[in-house]
Amino acid sequence: FSSRTLWRFGYSARLLKTNHFRTAASNTSFPAVWMLLAQYSGRIPGLFVVVKKNSFFTMPETLEDKANLELYSPHPGVRGMTLLNREAFKRTVVVPVLKVKKEIVNALLKSLKHTVLQRPGLKRVVEDPEDEDNRLVILDPHKIPEFSLGESEQEVLKQLNVRPEVSKYNLELTYENFKSEEILRAVLPEGQEVTSGFSRVGHIAHLNLRDHQLPYRHLIGQVIIDKNPGITCVVNKTSIIDSTYRNFQMEVLAGESNLVTKVKENNIAYELDFSKVYWNPRLSTEHGRIVQLLKPGDVLFDVFAGIGPFAIPAAKKKCHVFANDLNPESYNWLLHNCKLNKVDNKIKAFNMDGRDFLLGPVREELSKELPEQRKSFHIVMNLPALAIEFLAVFRHLLVGESCGAAGLPTVHCYGFSKHDDPAKDIQERAEASLGTSLDGRCSTYLVRNVAPNKEMLCISFQIPADVLYKRPCPDEAKPASKRLCTSKDFSEEKLLS
Protein backbone atom coordinates (compact mmCIF):
# COMPACT_ATOMS: atom_id res chain seq x y z
CA PHE A 1 0.00 0.00 0.00
CA SER A 2 1.19 3.52 -0.76
CA SER A 3 2.02 5.90 2.04
CA ARG A 4 -1.08 7.88 1.05
CA THR A 5 -3.35 4.89 1.68
CA LEU A 6 -1.83 4.24 5.10
CA TRP A 7 -2.00 7.94 5.96
CA ARG A 8 -5.66 8.19 5.05
CA PHE A 9 -6.58 5.16 7.19
CA GLY A 10 -4.26 5.68 10.15
CA TYR A 11 -4.05 9.45 10.33
CA SER A 12 -7.67 10.33 10.93
CA ALA A 13 -10.86 8.58 11.95
CA ARG A 14 -12.82 11.25 10.09
CA LEU A 15 -11.93 10.36 6.51
CA LEU A 16 -14.77 7.93 5.87
CA LYS A 17 -17.22 10.39 7.38
CA THR A 18 -16.84 12.81 4.46
CA ASN A 19 -19.06 10.81 2.13
CA HIS A 20 -22.25 11.06 4.18
CA PHE A 21 -23.97 13.25 1.56
CA ARG A 22 -23.64 10.60 -1.15
CA THR A 23 -26.27 8.10 -2.13
CA ALA A 24 -25.97 4.35 -2.21
CA ALA A 25 -25.50 4.43 -5.95
CA SER A 26 -22.38 6.54 -5.69
CA ASN A 27 -20.69 4.29 -3.13
CA THR A 28 -19.72 1.61 -5.61
CA SER A 29 -16.22 1.32 -4.20
CA PHE A 30 -17.30 0.58 -0.64
CA PRO A 31 -17.00 -3.26 -0.68
CA ALA A 32 -13.31 -2.94 -1.57
CA VAL A 33 -12.81 -0.39 1.20
CA TRP A 34 -14.62 -2.64 3.69
CA MET A 35 -12.40 -5.59 2.82
CA LEU A 36 -9.33 -3.40 3.14
CA LEU A 37 -10.41 -2.20 6.57
CA ALA A 38 -11.05 -5.74 7.75
CA GLN A 39 -7.73 -6.98 6.42
CA TYR A 40 -5.62 -4.23 7.95
CA SER A 41 -7.57 -3.47 11.14
CA GLY A 42 -4.87 -5.12 13.25
CA ARG A 43 -1.96 -3.28 11.64
CA ILE A 44 -3.02 0.34 11.34
CA PRO A 45 -3.30 2.30 14.61
CA GLY A 46 -6.76 3.68 15.27
CA LEU A 47 -8.34 1.81 12.38
CA PHE A 48 -10.67 -0.26 14.55
CA VAL A 49 -12.22 2.96 15.77
CA VAL A 50 -12.89 4.01 12.19
CA VAL A 51 -14.65 0.77 11.35
CA LYS A 52 -16.67 0.62 14.53
CA LYS A 53 -17.85 4.22 14.67
CA ASN A 54 -18.39 5.03 11.01
CA SER A 55 -22.07 5.00 10.12
CA PHE A 56 -22.11 7.27 7.11
CA PHE A 57 -21.39 4.81 4.32
CA THR A 58 -24.17 2.76 2.79
CA MET A 59 -23.45 -0.92 3.29
CA PRO A 60 -22.92 -3.12 0.21
CA GLU A 61 -26.15 -4.28 -1.39
CA THR A 62 -27.23 -7.78 -0.40
CA LEU A 63 -29.26 -10.14 -2.57
CA GLU A 64 -32.31 -9.11 -0.57
CA ASP A 65 -31.60 -5.44 -1.32
CA LYS A 66 -31.46 -6.24 -5.04
CA ALA A 67 -34.75 -8.08 -4.83
CA ASN A 68 -36.25 -5.07 -3.07
CA LEU A 69 -34.99 -2.83 -5.86
CA GLU A 70 -36.67 -5.04 -8.45
CA LEU A 71 -39.94 -5.26 -6.56
CA TYR A 72 -40.20 -1.59 -5.70
CA SER A 73 -38.85 -0.03 -8.87
CA PRO A 74 -41.10 2.43 -10.72
CA HIS A 75 -42.73 1.48 -14.00
CA PRO A 76 -39.98 0.66 -16.54
CA GLY A 77 -41.56 3.06 -19.02
CA VAL A 78 -40.04 6.04 -17.20
CA ARG A 79 -36.52 5.21 -18.44
CA GLY A 80 -35.11 8.21 -20.30
CA MET A 81 -37.73 10.67 -19.03
CA THR A 82 -36.41 14.27 -18.91
CA LEU A 83 -39.65 16.10 -18.02
CA LEU A 84 -41.14 14.79 -14.79
CA ASN A 85 -44.47 12.99 -15.21
CA ARG A 86 -45.44 11.65 -11.79
CA GLU A 87 -48.35 9.58 -13.10
CA ALA A 88 -45.98 7.49 -15.24
CA PHE A 89 -44.35 5.99 -12.15
CA LYS A 90 -47.42 4.00 -11.09
CA ARG A 91 -47.19 0.25 -11.04
CA THR A 92 -48.92 -2.69 -9.32
CA VAL A 93 -47.03 -5.45 -7.55
CA VAL A 94 -48.35 -8.68 -6.03
CA VAL A 95 -47.59 -9.12 -2.34
CA PRO A 96 -48.56 -11.77 0.27
CA VAL A 97 -51.18 -10.89 2.91
CA LEU A 98 -52.82 -12.53 5.90
CA LYS A 99 -56.51 -12.10 6.63
CA VAL A 100 -57.03 -11.49 10.35
CA LYS A 101 -59.71 -10.14 12.65
CA LYS A 102 -59.12 -6.46 13.31
CA GLU A 103 -59.06 -7.09 17.10
CA ILE A 104 -55.81 -9.04 16.91
CA VAL A 105 -53.96 -6.96 14.32
CA ASN A 106 -51.68 -5.27 16.88
CA ALA A 107 -50.79 -8.57 18.54
CA LEU A 108 -49.97 -10.08 15.15
CA LEU A 109 -47.79 -7.12 14.14
CA LYS A 110 -45.75 -7.49 17.32
CA SER A 111 -45.37 -11.25 16.94
CA LEU A 112 -44.46 -11.10 13.23
CA LYS A 113 -42.58 -7.79 13.25
CA HIS A 114 -39.70 -9.28 11.23
CA THR A 115 -42.06 -10.77 8.64
CA VAL A 116 -44.52 -7.96 7.94
CA LEU A 117 -43.77 -5.31 5.33
CA GLN A 118 -41.41 -2.65 6.74
CA ARG A 119 -41.09 -0.30 3.78
CA PRO A 120 -41.45 3.38 4.83
CA GLY A 121 -44.42 5.15 3.32
CA LEU A 122 -46.48 2.01 2.75
CA LYS A 123 -49.24 0.81 5.05
CA ARG A 124 -48.70 -2.60 6.58
CA VAL A 125 -52.42 -3.03 7.30
CA VAL A 126 -55.26 -2.35 4.83
CA GLU A 127 -58.99 -2.97 4.86
CA ASP A 128 -60.37 -6.24 3.54
CA PRO A 129 -62.74 -5.36 0.66
CA GLU A 130 -64.69 -8.57 1.29
CA ASP A 131 -65.22 -8.30 5.06
CA GLU A 132 -65.24 -5.11 7.09
CA ASP A 133 -64.45 -7.06 10.29
CA ASN A 134 -61.17 -8.31 8.81
CA ARG A 135 -57.93 -6.60 7.97
CA LEU A 136 -55.21 -7.56 5.51
CA VAL A 137 -51.70 -7.60 6.98
CA ILE A 138 -49.14 -7.19 4.22
CA LEU A 139 -46.11 -9.45 4.53
CA ASP A 140 -42.63 -8.91 3.15
CA PRO A 141 -42.50 -11.02 -0.04
CA HIS A 142 -38.81 -11.71 0.53
CA LYS A 143 -39.53 -13.24 3.93
CA ILE A 144 -42.37 -15.34 2.49
CA PRO A 145 -40.88 -17.08 -0.59
CA GLU A 146 -43.46 -18.56 -2.92
CA PHE A 147 -46.17 -17.22 -0.60
CA SER A 148 -45.50 -20.03 1.87
CA LEU A 149 -45.16 -19.49 5.61
CA GLY A 150 -42.30 -20.99 7.58
CA GLU A 151 -42.70 -23.11 10.69
CA SER A 152 -42.04 -20.23 13.11
CA GLU A 153 -44.68 -18.03 11.44
CA GLN A 154 -47.18 -20.88 11.44
CA GLU A 155 -46.60 -21.43 15.17
CA VAL A 156 -47.30 -17.74 15.86
CA LEU A 157 -50.53 -17.87 13.89
CA LYS A 158 -51.58 -21.03 15.71
CA GLN A 159 -51.16 -19.32 19.07
CA LEU A 160 -53.24 -16.36 17.86
CA ASN A 161 -55.86 -18.67 16.36
CA VAL A 162 -55.29 -17.31 12.84
CA ARG A 163 -55.57 -19.52 9.75
CA PRO A 164 -52.07 -19.90 8.21
CA GLU A 165 -53.37 -19.12 4.74
CA VAL A 166 -51.48 -16.60 2.64
CA SER A 167 -53.41 -14.65 0.01
CA LYS A 168 -52.21 -12.48 -2.85
CA TYR A 169 -52.85 -8.77 -2.88
CA ASN A 170 -52.36 -6.23 -5.66
CA LEU A 171 -50.45 -3.34 -4.11
CA GLU A 172 -50.45 -0.13 -6.14
CA LEU A 173 -47.29 1.95 -5.92
CA THR A 174 -47.23 5.61 -6.95
CA TYR A 175 -44.57 8.30 -7.33
CA GLU A 176 -45.06 9.17 -3.65
CA ASN A 177 -44.06 5.65 -2.56
CA PHE A 178 -40.64 5.69 -4.22
CA LYS A 179 -37.46 7.14 -2.79
CA SER A 180 -35.55 9.73 -4.78
CA GLU A 181 -32.71 7.27 -5.48
CA GLU A 182 -35.20 4.72 -6.85
CA ILE A 183 -36.84 7.30 -9.07
CA LEU A 184 -33.55 8.54 -10.50
CA ARG A 185 -32.20 5.03 -10.93
CA ALA A 186 -35.29 4.17 -12.98
CA VAL A 187 -35.00 7.30 -15.13
CA LEU A 188 -31.28 7.55 -15.88
CA PRO A 189 -29.53 5.13 -18.27
CA GLU A 190 -28.86 1.75 -16.67
CA GLY A 191 -25.46 1.31 -15.06
CA GLN A 192 -24.73 5.03 -14.72
CA GLU A 193 -24.25 6.86 -11.44
CA VAL A 194 -27.59 8.12 -10.18
CA THR A 195 -26.52 11.29 -8.37
CA SER A 196 -23.47 12.74 -6.69
CA GLY A 197 -25.56 13.92 -3.75
CA PHE A 198 -26.16 17.48 -2.68
CA SER A 199 -25.37 20.03 -0.01
CA ARG A 200 -28.18 21.82 1.75
CA VAL A 201 -27.86 25.54 2.36
CA GLY A 202 -31.07 26.70 4.00
CA HIS A 203 -33.87 26.18 1.49
CA ILE A 204 -31.34 25.55 -1.33
CA ALA A 205 -30.04 22.17 -2.51
CA HIS A 206 -26.66 22.51 -4.22
CA LEU A 207 -25.68 19.85 -6.78
CA ASN A 208 -22.50 19.08 -8.69
CA LEU A 209 -23.92 17.03 -11.54
CA ARG A 210 -21.81 14.91 -13.86
CA ASP A 211 -21.98 15.34 -17.63
CA HIS A 212 -24.16 12.26 -18.17
CA GLN A 213 -26.70 13.63 -15.66
CA LEU A 214 -27.12 17.04 -17.30
CA PRO A 215 -29.90 16.03 -19.75
CA TYR A 216 -31.96 15.03 -16.69
CA ARG A 217 -30.98 17.99 -14.49
CA HIS A 218 -34.41 19.66 -14.31
CA LEU A 219 -36.11 16.36 -13.45
CA ILE A 220 -33.45 15.64 -10.82
CA GLY A 221 -34.02 19.08 -9.31
CA GLN A 222 -37.78 18.60 -9.08
CA VAL A 223 -37.41 15.14 -7.52
CA ILE A 224 -35.11 16.59 -4.84
CA ILE A 225 -37.71 19.26 -4.03
CA ASP A 226 -40.49 16.65 -3.90
CA LYS A 227 -38.60 14.29 -1.61
CA ASN A 228 -36.91 16.76 0.77
CA PRO A 229 -39.28 18.92 2.84
CA GLY A 230 -38.09 22.50 3.22
CA ILE A 231 -36.07 22.58 -0.01
CA THR A 232 -37.65 25.00 -2.46
CA CYS A 233 -34.73 25.72 -4.80
CA VAL A 234 -32.20 23.41 -6.48
CA VAL A 235 -29.05 24.72 -8.15
CA ASN A 236 -26.21 23.08 -10.05
CA LYS A 237 -22.67 24.42 -10.06
CA THR A 238 -21.62 25.26 -13.62
CA SER A 239 -18.06 26.51 -13.00
CA ILE A 240 -15.15 25.96 -10.66
CA ILE A 241 -14.84 28.13 -7.55
CA ASP A 242 -13.22 31.48 -8.33
CA SER A 243 -10.06 31.72 -6.22
CA THR A 244 -10.43 35.49 -5.79
CA TYR A 245 -13.97 35.85 -4.47
CA ARG A 246 -14.66 32.12 -3.81
CA ASN A 247 -18.00 32.06 -5.62
CA PHE A 248 -19.10 30.20 -8.74
CA GLN A 249 -21.64 30.27 -11.53
CA MET A 250 -24.78 28.22 -10.95
CA GLU A 251 -27.98 27.27 -12.72
CA VAL A 252 -31.36 27.06 -11.00
CA LEU A 253 -32.73 23.62 -11.93
CA ALA A 254 -36.08 23.66 -10.17
CA GLY A 255 -38.16 25.71 -7.75
CA GLU A 256 -37.92 29.39 -6.90
CA SER A 257 -34.97 31.53 -7.95
CA ASN A 258 -34.49 33.08 -4.52
CA LEU A 259 -30.85 32.49 -3.56
CA VAL A 260 -30.86 34.62 -0.41
CA THR A 261 -31.14 32.08 2.36
CA LYS A 262 -30.77 31.48 6.08
CA VAL A 263 -28.59 28.80 7.65
CA LYS A 264 -27.82 27.74 11.18
CA GLU A 265 -24.42 26.39 12.16
CA ASN A 266 -23.29 25.48 15.67
CA ASN A 267 -26.37 27.28 17.06
CA ILE A 268 -25.55 30.53 15.25
CA ALA A 269 -27.76 31.94 12.47
CA TYR A 270 -26.35 33.40 9.26
CA GLU A 271 -27.95 34.99 6.22
CA LEU A 272 -26.32 35.08 2.78
CA ASP A 273 -26.78 35.26 -0.96
CA PHE A 274 -25.56 31.85 -2.05
CA SER A 275 -24.92 33.08 -5.60
CA LYS A 276 -22.45 35.75 -4.45
CA VAL A 277 -20.60 34.44 -1.39
CA TYR A 278 -18.89 31.24 -0.31
CA TRP A 279 -20.62 28.89 2.10
CA ASN A 280 -19.91 25.20 2.65
CA PRO A 281 -22.03 23.29 5.20
CA ARG A 282 -19.38 20.55 5.29
CA LEU A 283 -17.06 22.89 7.22
CA SER A 284 -19.32 23.19 10.27
CA THR A 285 -17.22 20.80 12.36
CA GLU A 286 -14.00 22.57 11.43
CA HIS A 287 -15.40 25.98 12.32
CA GLY A 288 -16.38 24.61 15.72
CA ARG A 289 -12.99 22.93 16.24
CA ILE A 290 -11.03 26.15 15.79
CA VAL A 291 -13.39 28.20 17.95
CA GLN A 292 -13.01 25.63 20.73
CA LEU A 293 -9.27 26.35 20.77
CA LEU A 294 -9.93 29.99 21.64
CA LYS A 295 -10.35 31.40 25.13
CA PRO A 296 -12.18 34.56 26.18
CA GLY A 297 -9.86 37.51 25.70
CA ASP A 298 -7.87 35.92 22.88
CA VAL A 299 -7.34 37.85 19.66
CA LEU A 300 -8.45 36.29 16.37
CA PHE A 301 -7.33 37.57 12.98
CA ASP A 302 -9.54 36.01 10.28
CA VAL A 303 -7.76 36.73 7.00
CA PHE A 304 -10.39 35.24 4.67
CA ALA A 305 -13.47 35.60 6.85
CA GLY A 306 -16.29 35.08 4.37
CA ILE A 307 -19.61 35.84 6.09
CA GLY A 308 -18.18 35.10 9.54
CA PRO A 309 -18.33 31.39 10.52
CA PHE A 310 -15.06 31.70 12.49
CA ALA A 311 -15.33 35.37 13.46
CA ILE A 312 -18.87 35.54 14.83
CA PRO A 313 -18.73 32.52 17.19
CA ALA A 314 -15.31 33.74 18.37
CA ALA A 315 -16.79 37.15 19.16
CA LYS A 316 -19.64 35.47 21.02
CA LYS A 317 -16.93 33.74 23.05
CA LYS A 318 -15.69 37.23 24.04
CA CYS A 319 -12.60 37.15 21.84
CA HIS A 320 -11.27 40.28 20.16
CA VAL A 321 -11.85 39.71 16.44
CA PHE A 322 -10.39 41.31 13.32
CA ALA A 323 -12.18 39.88 10.26
CA ASN A 324 -11.32 40.53 6.62
CA ASP A 325 -12.56 39.46 3.20
CA LEU A 326 -11.69 40.73 -0.27
CA ASN A 327 -15.12 39.99 -1.74
CA PRO A 328 -17.32 43.10 -1.23
CA GLU A 329 -20.42 40.89 -1.07
CA SER A 330 -18.89 38.72 1.65
CA TYR A 331 -17.84 41.84 3.55
CA ASN A 332 -21.39 43.25 3.41
CA TRP A 333 -22.93 39.96 4.56
CA LEU A 334 -20.29 39.76 7.30
CA LEU A 335 -21.43 43.15 8.59
CA HIS A 336 -25.06 42.04 8.28
CA ASN A 337 -24.44 38.83 10.25
CA CYS A 338 -22.47 40.67 12.92
CA LYS A 339 -25.55 42.83 13.54
CA LEU A 340 -27.86 39.82 13.29
CA ASN A 341 -25.90 38.11 16.06
CA LYS A 342 -25.35 41.31 18.07
CA VAL A 343 -21.55 41.21 17.91
CA ASP A 344 -21.04 44.17 15.58
CA ASN A 345 -19.34 46.10 18.40
CA LYS A 346 -16.91 43.20 19.03
CA ILE A 347 -15.64 42.66 15.48
CA LYS A 348 -13.50 45.01 13.41
CA ALA A 349 -14.30 44.19 9.79
CA PHE A 350 -12.13 44.94 6.75
CA ASN A 351 -12.60 44.66 2.99
CA MET A 352 -8.98 44.22 1.85
CA ASP A 353 -6.64 41.88 0.05
CA GLY A 354 -5.35 39.27 2.51
CA ARG A 355 -1.74 40.44 2.19
CA ASP A 356 -2.70 44.04 2.81
CA PHE A 357 -4.70 42.95 5.86
CA LEU A 358 -1.66 41.10 7.26
CA LEU A 359 0.77 43.92 6.44
CA GLY A 360 -1.60 46.56 7.82
CA PRO A 361 -4.10 45.93 10.66
CA VAL A 362 -2.56 42.60 11.75
CA ARG A 363 1.00 43.94 11.91
CA GLU A 364 -0.15 47.09 13.69
CA GLU A 365 -2.06 45.15 16.34
CA LEU A 366 0.74 42.64 16.91
CA SER A 367 3.33 45.41 17.22
CA LYS A 368 1.19 47.10 19.84
CA GLU A 369 0.04 44.08 21.86
CA LEU A 370 2.72 41.37 21.55
CA PRO A 371 5.28 43.08 23.86
CA GLU A 372 2.68 43.13 26.65
CA GLN A 373 2.11 39.34 26.38
CA ARG A 374 -1.33 39.64 27.97
CA LYS A 375 -3.24 37.95 25.13
CA SER A 376 -3.00 34.91 22.90
CA PHE A 377 -3.14 35.54 19.16
CA HIS A 378 -4.63 33.23 16.52
CA ILE A 379 -4.52 33.81 12.76
CA VAL A 380 -6.97 31.81 10.63
CA MET A 381 -6.25 31.55 6.90
CA ASN A 382 -9.05 29.58 5.29
CA LEU A 383 -8.41 29.93 1.57
CA PRO A 384 -7.22 26.39 0.74
CA ALA A 385 -6.36 27.10 -2.88
CA LEU A 386 -3.90 29.92 -2.06
CA ALA A 387 -3.44 30.49 1.68
CA ILE A 388 -0.07 28.73 1.98
CA GLU A 389 1.43 31.25 -0.44
CA PHE A 390 0.37 34.04 1.94
CA LEU A 391 2.56 32.62 4.73
CA ALA A 392 5.55 34.40 3.17
CA VAL A 393 4.10 37.66 4.48
CA PHE A 394 5.09 36.63 8.01
CA ARG A 395 8.80 36.79 7.14
CA HIS A 396 10.15 39.69 9.24
CA LEU A 397 6.65 41.13 9.61
CA LEU A 398 7.75 42.80 12.87
CA VAL A 399 10.92 44.60 13.90
CA GLY A 400 12.52 44.04 17.27
CA GLU A 401 13.26 41.22 19.68
CA SER A 402 10.85 38.42 20.50
CA CYS A 403 9.31 38.71 23.97
CA GLY A 404 9.15 34.94 24.41
CA ALA A 405 7.87 31.91 22.54
CA ALA A 406 4.69 31.72 24.62
CA GLY A 407 3.31 34.92 23.12
CA LEU A 408 4.02 34.16 19.48
CA PRO A 409 0.90 34.07 17.26
CA THR A 410 -0.57 30.70 16.30
CA VAL A 411 -1.48 30.27 12.62
CA HIS A 412 -4.17 27.90 11.34
CA CYS A 413 -3.60 27.69 7.58
CA TYR A 414 -5.66 25.58 5.17
CA GLY A 415 -4.56 23.91 1.97
CA PHE A 416 -5.46 21.26 -0.60
CA SER A 417 -3.18 18.33 -1.37
CA LYS A 418 -3.15 15.59 -3.98
CA HIS A 419 0.10 14.14 -2.67
CA ASP A 420 0.53 10.51 -1.53
CA ASP A 421 1.41 11.91 1.91
CA PRO A 422 -0.80 15.02 2.24
CA ALA A 423 0.42 15.98 5.73
CA LYS A 424 4.05 15.96 4.63
CA ASP A 425 3.17 17.89 1.48
CA ILE A 426 1.33 20.63 3.37
CA GLN A 427 4.17 20.99 5.88
CA GLU A 428 6.86 21.20 3.19
CA ARG A 429 4.94 23.85 1.27
CA ALA A 430 4.38 25.87 4.45
CA GLU A 431 8.10 25.60 5.26
CA ALA A 432 9.00 26.83 1.77
CA SER A 433 6.81 29.93 2.23
CA LEU A 434 8.11 30.66 5.71
CA GLY A 435 11.75 29.88 4.89
CA THR A 436 12.25 27.68 7.95
CA SER A 437 11.66 24.14 9.21
CA LEU A 438 8.50 23.33 11.17
CA ASP A 439 9.64 19.87 12.32
CA GLY A 440 8.32 19.32 15.83
CA ARG A 441 6.64 22.72 15.77
CA CYS A 442 3.43 22.08 13.83
CA SER A 443 0.42 19.79 13.63
CA THR A 444 -1.67 18.84 10.60
CA TYR A 445 -5.36 18.03 10.73
CA LEU A 446 -7.44 16.36 8.02
CA VAL A 447 -10.52 18.51 7.45
CA ARG A 448 -12.26 16.58 4.68
CA ASN A 449 -11.86 14.63 1.48
CA VAL A 450 -12.71 17.10 -1.28
CA ALA A 451 -12.51 14.73 -4.26
CA PRO A 452 -10.81 11.45 -5.14
CA ASN A 453 -7.13 11.88 -4.21
CA LYS A 454 -7.66 15.43 -3.01
CA GLU A 455 -7.66 16.32 0.69
CA MET A 456 -8.26 19.55 2.58
CA LEU A 457 -5.98 19.95 5.59
CA CYS A 458 -5.22 22.51 8.28
CA ILE A 459 -1.65 23.07 9.46
CA SER A 460 -1.28 24.83 12.81
CA PHE A 461 1.93 26.29 14.23
CA GLN A 462 3.34 29.19 16.20
CA ILE A 463 5.24 31.56 13.93
CA PRO A 464 8.93 31.04 14.76
CA ALA A 465 10.52 34.15 16.26
CA ASP A 466 13.34 34.15 13.71
CA VAL A 467 10.70 34.29 10.96
CA LEU A 468 8.41 36.90 12.51
CA TYR A 469 11.03 39.38 13.74
CA LYS A 470 13.66 41.44 11.95
CA ARG A 471 16.41 42.85 14.15
CA PRO A 472 16.52 46.67 14.04
CA CYS A 473 19.45 48.63 12.66
CA PRO A 474 21.85 49.71 15.44
CA ASP A 475 21.32 53.42 14.80
CA GLU A 476 17.54 53.28 15.16
CA ALA A 477 16.52 55.65 17.91
CA LYS A 478 13.01 54.31 18.32
CA PRO A 479 12.59 51.35 20.72
CA ALA A 480 12.71 48.18 18.63
CA SER A 481 9.76 46.54 20.34
CA LYS A 482 7.54 49.45 19.33
CA ARG A 483 8.72 50.02 15.76
CA LEU A 484 7.00 48.73 12.65
CA CYS A 485 8.86 47.58 9.58
CA THR A 486 8.20 50.22 6.93
CA SER A 487 7.29 49.58 3.34
CA LYS A 488 10.63 51.14 2.38
CA ASP A 489 12.52 48.55 4.46
CA PHE A 490 10.44 45.62 3.40
CA SER A 491 8.21 45.85 0.38
CA GLU A 492 5.67 43.15 -0.34
CA GLU A 493 7.85 42.02 -3.23
CA LYS A 494 10.78 41.40 -0.86
CA LEU A 495 8.58 39.57 1.57
CA LEU A 496 7.44 37.19 -1.12
CA SER A 497 10.87 36.69 -2.70
Side-chain angles (χ1 to χ4, degrees), residues 59-60 86 101 119 134 187 194 257 272 309 320 328 385 410 496:
M59 292 295 290
R86 297 175 182 84
K101 295 294 183 182
R119 184 173 173 82
N134 285 343
V187 169
V194 171
S257 295
L272 61 129
H320 305 284
T410 298
L496 295 177

Side-chain angles (χ1 to χ4, degrees), residues 25-54:
S26 66
N27 288 333
T28 53
S29 63
F30 184 75
V33 175
W34 186 261
M35 291 173 64
L36 182 64
L37 292 176
Q39 183 178 356
Y40 283 85
S41 60
R43 304 187 207 176
I44 304 176
L47 188 54
F48 176 74
V49 177
V50 178
V51 177
K52 187 173 183 179
K53 290 189 176 180
N54 175 57

Side-chain angles (χ1 to χ4, degrees), residues 302-331:
D302 194 349
V303 185
F304 313 104
I307 67 167
F310 287 114
I312 290 173
K316 280 187 166 290
K317 203 171 181 178
K318 298 184 179 180
C319 295
H320 305 284
V321 180
F322 295 74
N324 172 73
D325 203 279
L326 177 63
N327 183 353
E329 291 287 343
S330 295
Y331 171 74

Side-chain angles (χ1 to χ4, degrees), residues 54-291:
N54 175 57
S55 60
F56 294 91
F57 269 106
T58 302
M59 292 295 290
E61 291 180 357
T62 63
L63 291 177
E64 182 178 310
D65 292 329
K66 291 182 178 179
N68 269 316
L69 291 176
E70 292 174 4
L71 179 62
Y72 297 119
S73 294
H75 192 283
V78 301
R79 181 76 66 191
M81 177 187 293
T82 55
L83 183 63
L84 183 61
N85 176 8
R86 297 175 182 84
E87 290 296 314
F89 287 81
K90 285 184 180 179
R91 76 177 308 177
T92 301
V93 295
V94 180
V95 294
V97 295
L98 284 173
K99 291 188 177 186
V100 300
K101 295 294 183 182
K102 59 183 180 182
E103 299 85 35
I104 65 167
V105 165
N106 288 335
L108 181 67
L109 290 176
K110 289 180 181 179
S111 300
L112 292 180
K113 60 182 179 180
H114 297 299
T115 308
V116 297
L117 185 68
Q118 298 289 343
R119 184 173 173 82
L122 287 178
K123 293 181 179 180
R124 294 179 293 174
V125 181
V126 296
E127 293 185 358
D128 183 352
E130 298 177 357
D131 190 342
E132 62 180 17
D133 293 329
N134 285 343
R135 294 292 183 268
L136 301 180
V137 177
I138 302 177
L139 306 177
D140 188 334
H142 307 101
K143 305 290 178 61
I144 310 297
E146 299 180 359
F147 291 76
S148 177
L149 292 170
E151 291 184 7
S152 59
E153 288 87 5
Q154 292 187 42
E155 182 61 31
V156 169
L157 296 182
K158 183 177 180 181
Q159 293 176 5
L160 295 174
N161 198 26
V162 176
R163 291 178 58 190
E165 182 180 327
V166 178
S167 303
K168 294 182 178 181
Y169 178 76
N170 291 328
L171 178 64
E172 183 178 75
L173 301 174
T174 67
Y175 174 83
E176 284 69 29
N177 298 129
F178 298 113
K179 303 173 185 178
S180 57
E181 295 91 343
E182 294 167 341
I183 292 171
L184 299 180
R185 189 181 293 114
V187 169
L188 270 65
E190 288 188 82
Q192 292 193 357
E193 184 182 11
V194 171
T195 178
S196 54
F198 65 91
S199 298
R200 183 165 184 168
V201 182
H203 67 276
I204 302 167
H206 168 218
L207 304 175
N208 290 324
L209 294 180
R210 307 289 179 83
D211 289 343
H212 72 271
Q213 298 164 339
L214 293 179
Y216 309 91
R217 62 189 185 278
H218 297 295
L219 180 144
I220 292 172
Q222 189 58 56
V223 170
I224 288 175
I225 289 177
D226 290 346
K227 299 298 180 178
N228 294 274
I231 288 182
T232 58
C233 175
V234 180
V235 300
N236 180 47
K237 185 169 76 172
T238 58
S239 68
I240 61 173
I241 293 178
D242 176 78
S243 59
T244 303
Y245 286 168
R246 290 194 295 178
N247 51 18
F248 51 84
Q249 297 296 316
M250 62 182 71
E251 176 188 11
V252 176
L253 303 183
E256 61 184 1
S257 295
N258 177 22
L259 296 177
V260 175
T261 188
K262 298 179 181 181
V263 296
K264 197 167 187 178
E265 180 183 274
N266 300 327
N267 295 316
I268 295 178
Y270 302 88
E271 295 179 354
L272 61 129
D273 185 335
F274 189 55
S275 67
K276 295 180 180 179
V277 304
Y278 178 79
W279 181 265
N280 190 334
R282 293 182 175 92
L283 296 178
S284 170
T285 301
E286 180 61 10
H287 295 151
R289 183 183 75 88
I290 295 297
V291 173

